[in-house]
Structure formats: structure tokens, C-alpha cells
Amino acid sequence: MFGKSLYAVFAVLAIAATGCGGGEESYASIVDKAENDKKLVIGVKADQPGLGLRTPDGSFTGFDVEVAKYVAKQLGVDPSGITFKETVSANREAFIEQGQVDMVVATYSITDARKQKVSFAGPYFVAGQDLLVRADEAALTGPETLNGKKLCSVAGSTPAQKVKTEYAKEVQLQEERTYSACVDRVLGGQLDAITTDNVILAGYAAQHSGKLKVVGKPFSTEKYGIGLKKDDTAGRKAVNDALEKMFSDGSWTQALQSSVGASGFALPQAPQLERY
């Protein structure tokens, strides 16, 4: 009797273990997953007009989304095989490390500190840090004019701290979860300015035409990369190869023009890849 009971316990445990696996296989590289599953989960922003924006029907649009689709296609995954997952600045590394996403294409600046946790392909775009203010604001002409003002940025991003450290030690920093929350507070008059990359700010200025403006005095260089698992060397090479093709065949310029061009942002040339 005891033997049958023990057998039943093992059988239940076996079934439970199978269920926990969910049929998902773990791959060493995004290349292998793309080739075998024909599916990828890609982290993108959901509240950045022109770059990564969730539309009312639940789909995602923007330059980052177009880059993600192109790269996935080169890896063998059609758009129908992509699941886009919203990421915010504070959770990008965690999502990659935990396997919640296979790659992140989300205005993700390449830094040495982030390279300790994840791997980067790219850059696929080079932006510059700037300020977004109300359209009738005349006093704020650059980061050095922010002393005593209230400046918004998002948790997990570094631009606001850069302003305080290098340009305006008396600035009052305010963190929000998303840039769209910052925009609402600037429009409402509770805060004075937002700082992040100029191409991101241009999208918000276009979305709120006549109410917001980009100061137009960039004061940093931000190289956007595609984030992958730390040791995925094969994946990094494959994604870089895909980006190189996107630069050369005109798809990169077309994607940028269709997504960001309407904001009036001056479109740059494709950047140089920094393979490592």
C-alpha cells in the first residue's frame, strides 16, 4: 500500500514539474531561440511618442519598435512571432537578467556600468541630453539655468543627476516612473523642466504642439544600444550584423523618418557600430 502511495506522489511531482516547465526551452543565445522557436520577447518603452508607444489597440509603434522588428526578421522571426513587453528605465537590466525578455530596444544608453550586467549591440542611434520646457518659458536656456528650479526625470535613468552634478547644484530633482508622468507635471505647472535625450523630448513636443518645446542645447552624447544577456556573444554579433544591414539598405533612415521626422527633429546619419 505504501509503495503505491509513494508511486502516486512521484507521479504527481513529475506532472507538476512538467507543468512548471511550460514547454519553454532555455537557450544559450538569442540566435538559437530565434532559429528554433521563431519567437522572441522584446522589451520596449510604451510611453515615448515616435520611439516606443503603446497604441489604443495594444500594439506598439515607433523607431525602436521598427528597429526591433528589423533585427528580429534578420534573426528569422517574423513580426507575428514577436511579443512586445513594456519596460521602464528602472527594470531593463532585471528583465534581461531574469529572462523576462530576450532583448531590450528602449532608448537604452550604452554605459560601462550597464555592461557589467548586460551585453550591448549597437549603437543604433546617438542622441544628446536636452531639456523640455513649457512653450512660453524664456528663462530656461540650458542646464546651467536650472538652479532653484524643479527638474523631472525617471527612476533608473541618470540625466537629472548629471545636471545636478555638473551644471546646477541647486536644482530640485523630482523622479517619476515614466517620462509621460513628467510631461503631465510640467504641463500642469508643478515642475519646470524635464531632462532626457533630445529625440525622446522631441516626440513629446510634437505630441503637445504649441505647449512644450525642446530647448535645443544638447549637453551629452547618449549611444542607444540593444540589450542582451551578458554572455551572449553570438547574439551580440548577429544583432550587430542585422543593424549594419539596416544602416546600409536604407531601412534605418526610412524607419527614423516615418517615426520621428514629423516632430521636426533634425535626422542624423546612422552611427558607427562599436563591436566588442
Side-chain angles (χ1 to χ4, degrees):
M1 188 70 178
F2 177 80
K4 289 182 180 179
S5 298
L6 194 59
Y7 177 81
V9 169
F10 282 131
V12 169
L13 289 173
I15 292 169
T18 303
C20 288
E24 290 290 334
E25 185 173 349
S26 178
Y27 294 103
S29 173
I30 191 175
V31 176
D32 300 322
K33 180 174 181 181
E35 182 179 341
N36 289 288
D37 290 356
K38 302 298 182 185
K39 293 180 181 180
L40 289 174
V41 180
I42 302 177
V44 293
K45 291 292 180 73
D47 70 330
Q48 293 181 349
L51 294 164
L53 185 69
R54 193 200 311 271
T55 64
D57 67 3
S59 63
F60 289 82
T61 63
F63 178 62
D64 282 354
V65 175
E66 293 306 309
V67 170
K69 288 178 180 177
Y70 187 97
V71 169
K73 183 69 173 176
Q74 296 304 306
L75 295 177
V77 178
D78 291 327
S80 60
I82 300 173
T83 299
F84 286 111
K85 184 179 179 71
E86 178 184 356
T87 65
V88 296
S89 295
N91 65 21
R92 289 174 297 199
E93 285 93 39
F95 274 20
I96 294 169
E97 290 176 318
Q98 296 164 6
Q100 293 193 46
V101 297
D102 299 304
M103 64 179 180
V104 167
V105 191
T107 58
Y108 198 7
S109 295
I110 300 169
T111 68
D112 289 339
R114 288 170 176 166
K115 280 183 179 179
Q116 301 303 309
K117 296 182 177 181
V118 301
S119 181
F120 283 104
Y124 65 90
F125 189 84
V126 178
Q129 188 177 344
D130 211 322
L131 302 175
L132 186 72
V133 299
R134 288 180 290 278
D136 60 357
E137 174 60 68
L140 297 181
T141 57
E144 67 282 353
T145 63
L146 284 166
N147 279 309
K149 300 295 184 179
K150 296 177 181 178
L151 177 66
C152 194
S153 194
V154 302
S157 191
T158 57
Q161 188 59 51
K162 178 183 177 73
V163 170
K164 187 175 181 69
T165 302
E166 299 182 21
Y167 296 97
K169 297 189 187 311
E170 302 304 317
V171 68
Q172 300 174 45
L173 302 185
Q174 174 68 54
E175 279 194 346
E176 294 288 347
R177 183 174 179 270
T178 63
Y179 288 114
S180 55
C182 287
V183 167
D184 290 342
R185 298 197 68 191
V186 170
L187 286 170
Q190 296 91 10
L191 301 176
D192 300 299
I194 305 164
T195 187
T196 188
D197 306 337
N198 49 8
V199 66
I200 298 173
L201 299 178
Y204 290 119
Q207 189 180 47
H208 300 279
S209 181
K211 296 181 179 179
L212 296 172
K213 67 179 180 181
V214 181
V215 167
K217 187 180 176 183
F219 50 95
S220 76
T221 299
E222 307 295 334
K223 298 177 180 180
Y224 293 170
I226 295 180
L228 303 162
K229 281 187 177 178
K230 178 75 165 66
D231 298 319
D232 190 1
T233 304
R236 188 170 69 236
K237 180 183 183 304
V239 173
N240 273 325
D241 289 347
L243 289 174
E244 196 160 56
K245 184 176 180 182
M246 189 178 191
F247 296 165
S248 64
D249 70 8
S251 299
W252 183 88
T253 300
Q254 183 180 351
L256 193 60
Q257 178 63 54
S258 65
S259 56
V260 180
S263 71
F265 182 75
L267 303 183
Q269 298 294 312
Q272 292 290 318
L273 292 175
E274 298 178 2
R275 297 176 183 261
Y276 66 96

